[in-house]
Amino acid sequence: MKTIKYLFFILVSLVSTTLFAQYTEVINSNRPGMSRSAFSVGTNVLQFEVGPLFIKEERTPLPRYEVSGFGVDFSARYGLLFEELELNIEGNYQNDTRTLFSTFNTENKRSNFKYLTIGAKYLIYDPYKNAEEDKPNLYSWNANRGFKWKSLIPAVAVYAGVNYDTENNPYTAPGIEGFSPKFMIATQNNFNGGWVFVMNLIKDRIGTDQSDFSYILTLTHSFSPQWVIFGETQGIQSDFYADNLLRFGGAYLWSKNFQLDTAVTFNTKDTPSVLNITLGASYRLDFHKDKNIDNGNSATDELERKLRSKGAKKKKKRKKALDTEEKQAKKRKRKDEDFDK
């Protein structure tokens, strides 16, 4: 029975660590969705996320055109100085052919970065930090998976970054070049049962003729320690481009530092219709040092101490009971001897 409690405690501790800490025992990737988590990767963790994708776009109303090609999403993330702080660089490079259907069909081969951004994210509010009531219940699996009203309060992070666009970029509005700021608010709710909800509100290329506003809503569910599925909606609004994208996919945890993923993106309009298929991977170099573990105060160490302490107390209690019983037996024996006299 003691062994079962021990294993159960470790399992619950790992789950709660994954949900409620900056650093996690296994890789915590933003992929395969496009939203950004409110939490950082953890101090001294360098993480790479990359995803090649197949691109297909088709506009049916005039002017009719078709775009086909490939691209790659990529990012590098690093936790610096504080658990709440993350530095990152991310971008999307695309290479495609745009065919314009008219009296004479024309093909235009294009390639450039759709975006390239350097920025920093900081967690300003963490509702799970130092929450005594969120400690795992060692005696009830259902209690640990039940709904908690406090989970409706999200973690909140802010992001500030700088875009860089080259001159005559075919994927941006005319005249867009150089540097422009980007800001984002990211929220994250972690619900019991492996459900996570992330929301991003983004203002991009501020002060330019392509000042985009977009939102991303992502719902993720982990139904086993290795498998995760997700659904996502992304809305984009600007004078240059507007769309509502739907995205579905999943990820597989190959090892604690390596994840594989896939996703499909599409929309419901024809100006143009969009179909992207992505295969990706995430890998981290983990140099994180946990102060609690370094001081011997990990959850496992704490449990072992409690078990040893409990065992010692029981042993001491049994010894005390035996000593008391022995003293009472000696006392009764002396009374019997005095009575015989």
Side-chain angles (χ1 to χ4, degrees):
M1 184 66 183
K2 189 181 294 185
T3 304
I4 294 174
K5 287 183 179 180
Y6 181 84
L7 293 174
F8 178 70
F9 182 87
I10 293 176
L11 176 62
V12 174
S13 297
L14 288 175
V15 172
S16 59
T17 299
T18 301
L19 293 179
F20 305 141
Q22 292 288 294
Y23 171 80
T24 54
E25 292 298 326
V26 298
I27 188 171
N28 186 6
S29 175
N30 286 323
R31 295 191 58 81
M34 293 300 294
S35 63
R36 301 297 178 252
S37 164
F39 295 98
S40 76
V41 292
T43 54
N44 298 318
V45 172
L46 178 60
Q47 188 161 306
F48 300 98
E49 302 173 10
V50 62
L53 64 151
F54 165 78
I55 300 158
K56 185 73 173 180
E57 298 179 12
E58 185 174 353
R59 179 185 172 93
T60 303
L62 296 176
R64 290 183 59 238
Y65 68 80
E66 181 181 278
V67 175
S68 61
F70 65 90
V72 59
D73 290 314
F74 60 90
S75 70
R77 306 165 60 192
Y78 183 69
L80 181 67
L81 297 178
F82 313 105
E83 288 289 339
E84 297 83 2
L85 179 64
E86 174 185 302
L87 306 180
N88 53 62
I89 178 172
E90 56 187 17
N92 174 287
Y93 182 82
Q94 189 164 315
N95 186 307
D96 60 41
T97 300
R98 184 176 185 270
T99 304
L100 179 63
F101 299 107
S102 59
T103 305
F104 300 99
N105 295 345
T106 58
E107 291 188 351
N108 180 21
K109 294 186 180 298
R110 310 180 302 176
S111 62
N112 210 317
F113 289 97
K114 295 193 76 171
Y115 67 87
L116 181 63
T117 311
I118 297 176
K121 182 178 67 178
Y122 188 81
L123 182 73
I124 59 175
Y125 178 69
D126 181 3
Y128 313 110
K129 190 174 183 180
N130 301 323
E132 293 294 325
E133 61 270 27
D134 287 327
K135 288 184 176 180
N137 187 325
L138 303 184
Y139 304 100
S140 174
W141 174 256
N142 290 328
N144 289 301
R145 295 179 64 85
F147 178 78
K148 296 181 180 179
W149 286 103
K150 187 175 180 180
S151 63
L152 294 176
I153 303 174
V156 181
V158 293
Y159 169 91
V162 177
N163 298 296
Y164 177 70
D165 294 302
T166 60
E167 186 179 5
N168 298 323
N169 189 332
Y171 303 113
T172 59
I176 302 294
E177 62 176 286
F179 297 95
S180 60
K182 174 181 179 179
F183 293 103
M184 175 180 67
I185 296 175
T187 68
Q188 180 170 333
N189 296 84
N190 297 324
F191 302 105
N192 284 342
W195 293 94
V196 177
F197 177 69
V198 174
M199 179 176 69
N200 291 173
L201 301 175
I202 308 162
K203 188 64 175 175
D204 206 354
R205 294 188 173 95
I206 299 171
T208 70
D209 291 336
Q210 189 182 332
S211 184
D212 299 331
F213 170 77
S214 62
Y215 68 86
I216 308 176
L217 308 177
T218 307
L219 183 63
T220 302
H221 178 55
S222 58
F223 56 90
S224 80
Q226 283 79 35
W227 289 98
V228 173
I229 58 174
F230 86 102
E232 183 174 277
T233 178
Q234 180 180 7
I236 306 169
Q237 183 65 49
S238 73
D239 293 336
F240 177 71
Y241 179 71
D243 212 335
N244 288 286
L245 302 172
L246 299 174
R247 193 172 289 112
F248 298 94
Y252 175 74
L253 185 67
W254 186 278
S255 69
K256 71 174 186 175
N257 294 319
F258 183 54
Q259 172 189 293
L260 296 173
D261 63 76
T262 185
V264 57
T265 302
F266 59 92
N267 62 2
T268 56
K269 66 174 189 173
D270 59 1
T271 55
S273 63
V274 172
L275 177 63
N276 295 341
I277 299 175
T278 306
L279 297 172
S282 303
Y283 181 75
R284 73 173 180 177
L285 299 172
D286 186 3
F287 304 105
H288 180 80
K289 297 294 183 181
D290 193 317
K291 293 180 180 179
N292 291 332
I293 293 178
D294 288 343
N295 293 333
N297 295 323
S298 66
T300 305
D301 294 335
E302 186 66 24
L303 178 64
E304 288 178 347
R305 280 196 294 271
K306 286 182 179 180
L307 292 175
R308 286 198 300 268
S309 176
K310 189 179 290 186
K313 286 180 180 178
K314 286 183 178 180
K315 188 175 181 180
K316 186 176 181 181
K317 193 173 182 179
R318 285 197 299 269
K319 187 175 185 302
K320 185 177 181 180
L322 290 172
D323 291 343
T324 302
E325 187 176 346
E326 186 177 350
K327 287 179 181 179
Q328 289 177 348
K330 288 181 179 179
K331 190 174 182 180
R332 286 196 298 271
K333 185 177 180 180
R334 283 198 298 270
K335 285 184 179 180
D336 291 342
E337 290 176 351
D338 291 340
F339 179 78
D340 291 339
K341 290 179 180 178

